Amino acid sequence: MSGIELKPDAQGKVRDLYDLGDKLLLVATDRISAFDYVLEDEIPYKGKVLTQLSRFWFDLLADIVDNHVISTDVADLPDEFKPYEEYLDGRFMLVRKAQMYPVECIVRGYLTGSGLASYRKNGTVCGIQLPEGLTESSKLPTALFTPSTKAEIGGHDENISFDTTVDLVGEQAATTLRDLTLAVYEKAADHAAQQGIIIADTKFEFGVVDGKVILADEVLTPDSSRFWAAATYREGEVQPSFDKQFVRNWLNANWDRSGNPPHLPEDVVQKTSEKYIQAYELITGTSFQK
Ligand code: ATP
Ligand code: MG
């Protein structure tokens, strides 16, 4: 069984969503995106890695924040999904449907990507003034809450200041989101550090269920985070991305960005699959069950 014949109610680049009233079935597929394209080729086990890694973090972080997970057990699948049990096992999450905040809660422990670009322009990230002398991949003096808007499909997320976050969700919610984001990051980064991984930055999505703020979506996966190997970290250099490096390198060498991206060679697909599995195994300290 390589897929599921029910039509999703919504589809992201990577995940399929089925609306079950007050619940959602979130299914992480093996799709991969690079340079804003969803590629033709799938990465074996990628969806299972995303789901199981999220599950690991939700459990580890549960003393800081409640989360949306109801079950990842096939016994709890609604009847219409039972025929697809084999495909869904390990890659789905049955979750509580939340009223999502329209803010991506990004936290940065290190300076790179759009954060570095903003710093180079005016010394700030999301309105936060930073010390002089920081460079590519510098560790920040303290982790920063650097929220962004959630772009519609095809759009680009835009970094926003804390004040703009207050305008969007109100002062109390903005403060809660910031405090939870920083607390969750701190605990996760401590855990990852013990496993030899730096979480350079990551994105959380929170929502409200029954008046309570909960952590939703996926958490601390290679798709929502920059993971770096602590052993090879060097300030001043772009760190290799843990997961998609083989894909990006190969596309850079074999695709001029006109038209759709070409098919990936088998060894690039295999190596990328191994990278995702390695991320899971390093972070959880357990072997990945295919
Ligand atoms: P992409 O990640 O491909 O850029 P996306 O974030 O829109 O796009 P997915 O991540 O595939 O797509 O889909 C997850 C969607 O489900 C997101 O819009 C997310 O906000 C939403 N979501 C996650 N958890 C919940 C929840 N518990 N209740 C309601 N919506 C949720
Ligand atoms: Mg998403």
Side-chain angles (χ1 to χ4, degrees), residues 10-86:
Q11 246 182 344
K13 287 198 280 290
V14 169
R15 272 154 332 138
D16 292 340
L17 272 73
Y18 298 87
D19 194 333
L20 308 171
D22 59 349
K23 303 186 188 92
L24 288 176
L25 190 74
L26 290 183
V27 180
T29 71
D30 290 338
R31 296 193 288 268
I32 187 167
S33 67
F35 306 114
D36 283 336
Y37 280 87
V38 177
L39 305 184
E40 296 277 338
D41 306 277
E42 300 201 324
I43 304 299
Y45 304 108
K46 177 174 177 282
K48 290 193 176 193
V49 166
L50 297 184
T51 297
Q52 290 173 43
L53 192 52
S54 290
R55 181 77 224 235
F56 168 83
W57 287 116
F58 279 128
D59 291 344
L60 187 92
L61 300 166
D63 59 339
I64 298 178
V65 62
D66 200 7
N67 64 65
H68 66 166
V69 180
I70 298 169
S71 175
T72 52
D73 184 343
V74 285
D76 296 320
L77 277 173
D79 283 346
E80 67 265 38
F81 294 94
K82 295 272 199 231
Y84 311 106
E85 204 176 286
E86 201 182 314

Side-chain angles (χ1 to χ4, degrees), residues 10-17 22-24 26-28 31 33 36 38 58 67-69 95-101 104 150-153 157 203 205-209 214-218 223:
Q11 246 182 344
K13 287 198 280 290
V14 169
R15 272 154 332 138
D16 292 340
L17 272 73
D22 59 349
K23 303 186 188 92
L24 288 176
L26 290 183
V27 180
R31 296 193 288 268
S33 67
D36 283 336
V38 177
F58 279 128
N67 64 65
H68 66 166
V69 180
V95 304
R96 294 184 280 167
K97 196 200 281 180
Q99 189 70 41
M100 300 299 287
Y101 286 108
E104 310 238 322
K150 269 175 73 132
E152 297 298 315
I153 288 179
D157 296 348
K203 180 210 69 171
E205 291 188 31
F206 294 91
V208 176
V209 174
I214 62 164
L215 185 55
D217 207 54
E218 63 179 336
D223 282 8

Side-chain angles (χ1 to χ4, degrees), residues 158-195:
E158 198 190 322
N159 288 348
I160 53 175
S161 66
F162 186 74
D163 287 348
T164 304
T165 310
V166 170
D167 292 341
L168 284 172
V169 301
E171 175 138 32
Q172 200 189 345
T175 304
T176 302
L177 295 183
R178 181 190 61 197
D179 293 351
L180 283 176
T181 295
L182 292 172
V184 166
Y185 174 76
E186 191 185 345
K187 175 146 187 177
D190 278 354
H191 172 83
Q194 289 166 32
Q195 308 294 119

